[in-house]
Amino acid sequence: MPKQLPYHTIHEIFSRFQAAEPEPKGELNHTNAYTLLVAVALSAQATDKGVNRATEGLFKVADTPEKMLALGEDALIEHIKTIGLYRNKAKNVMKMARILVDEYDGQVPSSRAALSSLPGVGRKTANVVLNMWWQFPAQAVDTHIFRFGNRSGVAMGKDVVAVERAIEDHIPAEFQQHAHHWMILHGRYICLARKPRCVDCLIRDLCEFEEKTE
């Protein structure tokens, strides 16, 4: 069982991540806070690439809540029907658009509580929007971060909220802004679930994972 890494080791890990990619970016295409919110909400149980294919045409005709309402649910479904759970997501996107227009003057709110109250938006989605759009150091813990955090010893916890708190507690403040992007990308492309690419890992010598692949 990996143990929580000490401060100096975590600092070195994120120093290496920063050196390799100083400005990591999320992979969901968006043009404003609203399209980012919709894209992240659509990405639940779907790949970023799949969402990007679906939203390429959608965001050309509906990049505001007002335009989404004008588009209508049936037309929205036609755009996103290649995405998993598309019918339920379409209902939530339309409900979200109505609330944004009626209660927020068509603007995406910038507080976690307000974002999390929207249909189809949970804590993770809210944190992604806070981080990517408002540069707030919120930590959106997905399966990649949960796996990497526990496997490496960087941020350990039994559930996503515990890992989120571990990130905030153990990762130095200077790395908090980009921490979740570095961890997502590392988990997505290097620290894979079944066959981690340890031979290509730039933090192999610092990681607590005992079953490293050759």
Side-chain angles (χ1 to χ4, degrees):
M1 179 72 177
K3 62 179 184 292
Q4 179 67 52
L5 291 170
Y7 175 87
H8 64 87
T9 303
I10 294 175
H11 192 283
E12 175 60 23
I13 284 173
F14 283 89
S15 293
R16 293 184 189 181
F17 284 157
Q18 185 178 58
E21 191 164 7
E23 295 287 334
K25 303 295 183 184
E27 297 183 319
L28 286 171
N29 294 335
H30 59 281
T31 57
N32 55 30
Y34 177 67
T35 54
L36 174 61
L37 177 62
V38 172
V40 179
L42 292 176
S43 71
Q45 295 181 272
T47 66
D48 287 359
K49 289 181 180 179
V51 173
N52 288 340
R53 284 194 296 270
T55 58
E56 182 178 4
L58 174 63
F59 290 158
K60 290 179 180 177
V61 295
D63 60 354
T64 68
E66 293 86 354
K67 291 179 182 177
M68 190 66 75
L69 291 174
L71 180 68
E73 187 173 325
D74 290 342
L76 170 59
I77 286 175
E78 285 302 307
H79 282 283
I80 68 170
K81 62 185 179 182
T82 56
I83 301 175
L85 307 176
Y86 68 92
R87 291 190 183 279
N88 189 54
K89 290 177 180 178
K91 291 183 184 300
N92 283 333
V93 168
M94 298 309 295
K95 290 177 182 176
M96 180 199 306
R98 173 52 61 194
I99 291 172
L100 290 176
V101 169
D102 291 348
E103 300 182 20
Y104 297 97
D105 296 323
Q107 302 300 308
V108 176
S110 59
S111 80
R112 183 186 286 119
L115 286 167
S116 298
S117 71
L118 296 171
V121 178
R123 186 180 182 88
K124 186 183 81 170
T125 296
N127 281 347
V128 172
V129 174
L130 289 172
N131 183 285
M132 290 182 63
W133 193 257
W134 283 286
Q135 286 74 56
F136 183 80
Q139 306 302 330
V141 178
D142 68 353
T143 55
H144 299 301
I145 291 179
F146 186 81
R147 178 176 64 254
F148 169 71
N150 280 289
R151 181 184 276 173
S152 65
V154 165
M156 304 183 68
K158 293 182 178 180
D159 55 46
V160 294
V161 175
V163 171
E164 180 183 326
R165 288 173 179 161
I167 292 170
E168 294 172 347
D169 288 345
H170 295 289
I171 294 176
E174 65 198 271
F175 302 119
Q176 287 280 332
Q177 177 61 51
H178 296 309
H180 97 275
H181 276 133
W182 283 317
M183 288 188 286
I184 285 174
L185 295 172
H186 195 71
R188 183 175 290 166
Y189 297 111
I190 301 296
C191 196
L192 307 177
R194 293 187 179 180
K195 292 184 179 179
R197 295 169 51 196
C198 299
V199 68
D200 299 318
C201 180
L202 78 168
I203 63 164
R204 177 189 174 103
D205 58 315
L206 304 173
C207 174
E208 279 286 309
F209 186 48
E210 294 180 355
E211 301 172 22
K212 291 186 176 69
T213 58
E214 297 300 327

PDB file of all heavy atoms in Angstrom, residues 26 51 66 73 106-107 110 128 149 159 182 209:
ATOM      1  N   GLY A  26      -6.883  21.987 -20.622  1.00  0.00           N
ATOM      2  CA  GLY A  26      -7.925  20.974 -20.722  1.00  0.00           C
ATOM      3  C   GLY A  26      -8.168  20.655 -22.185  1.00  0.00           C
ATOM      4  O   GLY A  26      -7.899  21.479 -23.074  1.00  0.00           O
ATOM      5  N   VAL A  51     -16.925  14.263 -27.095  1.00  0.00           N
ATOM      6  CA  VAL A  51     -17.662  15.486 -26.801  1.00  0.00           C
ATOM      7  C   VAL A  51     -17.289  16.581 -27.789  1.00  0.00           C
ATOM      8  O   VAL A  51     -18.155  17.305 -28.301  1.00  0.00           O
ATOM      9  CB  VAL A  51     -17.399  15.950 -25.349  1.00  0.00           C
ATOM     10  CG1 VAL A  51     -18.025  17.326 -25.101  1.00  0.00           C
ATOM     11  CG2 VAL A  51     -17.955  14.937 -24.359  1.00  0.00           C
ATOM     12  N   GLU A  66     -29.353  31.559 -24.101  1.00  0.00           N
ATOM     13  CA  GLU A  66     -30.485  32.032 -24.895  1.00  0.00           C
ATOM     14  C   GLU A  66     -30.575  31.287 -26.229  1.00  0.00           C
ATOM     15  O   GLU A  66     -31.665  30.862 -26.654  1.00  0.00           O
ATOM     16  CB  GLU A  66     -30.348  33.540 -25.150  1.00  0.00           C
ATOM     17  CG  GLU A  66     -30.488  34.402 -23.903  1.00  0.00           C
ATOM     18  CD  GLU A  66     -29.167  34.571 -23.139  1.00  0.00           C
ATOM     19  OE1 GLU A  66     -28.161  33.927 -23.522  1.00  0.00           O
ATOM     20  OE2 GLU A  66     -29.158  35.348 -22.166  1.00  0.00           O
ATOM     21  N   GLU A  73     -34.721  21.238 -27.471  1.00  0.00           N
ATOM     22  CA  GLU A  73     -34.183  19.958 -27.020  1.00  0.00           C
ATOM     23  C   GLU A  73     -34.016  18.954 -28.159  1.00  0.00           C
ATOM     24  O   GLU A  73     -33.019  18.229 -28.216  1.00  0.00           O
ATOM     25  CB  GLU A  73     -35.093  19.368 -25.942  1.00  0.00           C
ATOM     26  CG  GLU A  73     -34.522  18.117 -25.298  1.00  0.00           C
ATOM     27  CD  GLU A  73     -35.352  17.648 -24.114  1.00  0.00           C
ATOM     28  OE1 GLU A  73     -35.901  18.514 -23.393  1.00  0.00           O
ATOM     29  OE2 GLU A  73     -35.456  16.417 -23.912  1.00  0.00           O
ATOM     30  N   GLY A 106     -28.410  35.129 -17.902  1.00  0.00           N
ATOM     31  CA  GLY A 106     -27.697  34.483 -19.001  1.00  0.00           C
ATOM     32  C   GLY A 106     -26.222  34.281 -18.760  1.00  0.00           C
ATOM     33  O   GLY A 106     -25.502  33.812 -19.654  1.00  0.00           O
ATOM     34  N   GLN A 107     -25.764  34.615 -17.555  1.00  0.00           N
ATOM     35  CA  GLN A 107     -24.342  34.491 -17.242  1.00  0.00           C
ATOM     36  C   GLN A 107     -24.078  33.238 -16.403  1.00  0.00           C
ATOM     37  O   GLN A 107     -24.921  32.834 -15.601  1.00  0.00           O
ATOM     38  CB  GLN A 107     -23.858  35.724 -16.474  1.00  0.00           C
ATOM     39  CG  GLN A 107     -24.061  37.028 -17.213  1.00  0.00           C
ATOM     40  CD  GLN A 107     -23.324  37.071 -18.534  1.00  0.00           C
ATOM     41  OE1 GLN A 107     -22.123  36.815 -18.603  1.00  0.00           O
ATOM     42  NE2 GLN A 107     -24.047  37.374 -19.614  1.00  0.00           N
ATOM     43  N   SER A 110     -20.035  32.266 -10.827  1.00  0.00           N
ATOM     44  CA  SER A 110     -18.632  31.953 -10.534  1.00  0.00           C
ATOM     45  C   SER A 110     -18.416  31.450  -9.114  1.00  0.00           C
ATOM     46  O   SER A 110     -17.323  31.571  -8.569  1.00  0.00           O
ATOM     47  CB  SER A 110     -17.759  33.187 -10.783  1.00  0.00           C
ATOM     48  OG  SER A 110     -18.176  34.277  -9.983  1.00  0.00           O
ATOM     49  N   VAL A 128     -14.055  22.176 -12.405  1.00  0.00           N
ATOM     50  CA  VAL A 128     -13.403  22.342 -13.715  1.00  0.00           C
ATOM     51  C   VAL A 128     -13.651  23.748 -14.246  1.00  0.00           C
ATOM     52  O   VAL A 128     -12.735  24.433 -14.717  1.00  0.00           O
ATOM     53  CB  VAL A 128     -13.908  21.300 -14.730  1.00  0.00           C
ATOM     54  CG1 VAL A 128     -13.376  21.621 -16.132  1.00  0.00           C
ATOM     55  CG2 VAL A 128     -13.457  19.899 -14.328  1.00  0.00           C
ATOM     56  N   GLY A 149      -3.382   9.776  -7.831  1.00  0.00           N
ATOM     57  CA  GLY A 149      -3.140  10.278  -6.486  1.00  0.00           C
ATOM     58  C   GLY A 149      -2.877   9.175  -5.489  1.00  0.00           C
ATOM     59  O   GLY A 149      -1.943   9.251  -4.675  1.00  0.00           O
ATOM     60  N   ASP A 159     -12.201   8.379  -1.261  1.00  0.00           N
ATOM     61  CA  ASP A 159     -13.194   8.846  -2.228  1.00  0.00           C
ATOM     62  C   ASP A 159     -12.693  10.138  -2.857  1.00  0.00           C
ATOM     63  O   ASP A 159     -11.643  10.671  -2.473  1.00  0.00           O
ATOM     64  CB  ASP A 159     -14.566   9.037  -1.572  1.00  0.00           C
ATOM     65  CG  ASP A 159     -14.510   9.959  -0.353  1.00  0.00           C
ATOM     66  OD1 ASP A 159     -13.877  11.041  -0.442  1.00  0.00           O
ATOM     67  OD2 ASP A 159     -15.086   9.612   0.694  1.00  0.00           O
ATOM     68  N   TRP A 182      -2.246  18.645 -14.794  1.00  0.00           N
ATOM     69  CA  TRP A 182      -1.057  17.792 -14.860  1.00  0.00           C
ATOM     70  C   TRP A 182      -1.396  16.356 -14.487  1.00  0.00           C
ATOM     71  O   TRP A 182      -0.946  15.410 -15.132  1.00  0.00           O
ATOM     72  CB  TRP A 182       0.041  18.327 -13.941  1.00  0.00           C
ATOM     73  CG  TRP A 182       0.786  19.505 -14.483  1.00  0.00           C
ATOM     74  CD1 TRP A 182       1.250  19.683 -15.751  1.00  0.00           C
ATOM     75  CD2 TRP A 182       1.173  20.685 -13.762  1.00  0.00           C
ATOM     76  NE1 TRP A 182       1.891  20.893 -15.877  1.00  0.00           N
ATOM     77  CE2 TRP A 182       1.866  21.531 -14.663  1.00  0.00           C
ATOM     78  CE3 TRP A 182       1.010  21.105 -12.435  1.00  0.00           C
ATOM     79  CZ2 TRP A 182       2.398  22.763 -14.278  1.00  0.00           C
ATOM     80  CZ3 TRP A 182       1.524  22.336 -12.059  1.00  0.00           C
ATOM     81  CH2 TRP A 182       2.220  23.150 -12.971  1.00  0.00           C
ATOM     82  N   PHE A 209       4.252   3.660  -6.298  1.00  0.00           N
ATOM     83  CA  PHE A 209       3.645   2.472  -6.894  1.00  0.00           C
ATOM     84  C   PHE A 209       4.675   1.335  -6.949  1.00  0.00           C
ATOM     85  O   PHE A 209       5.745   1.479  -7.552  1.00  0.00           O
ATOM     86  CB  PHE A 209       3.135   2.808  -8.293  1.00  0.00           C
ATOM     87  CG  PHE A 209       2.369   1.705  -8.971  1.00  0.00           C
ATOM     88  CD1 PHE A 209       1.360   1.030  -8.314  1.00  0.00           C
ATOM     89  CD2 PHE A 209       2.665   1.347 -10.278  1.00  0.00           C
ATOM     90  CE1 PHE A 209       0.642   0.022  -8.944  1.00  0.00           C
ATOM     91  CE2 PHE A 209       1.959   0.352 -10.924  1.00  0.00           C
ATOM     92  CZ  PHE A 209       0.945  -0.327 -10.260  1.00  0.00           C
TER      93      PHE A 209
END
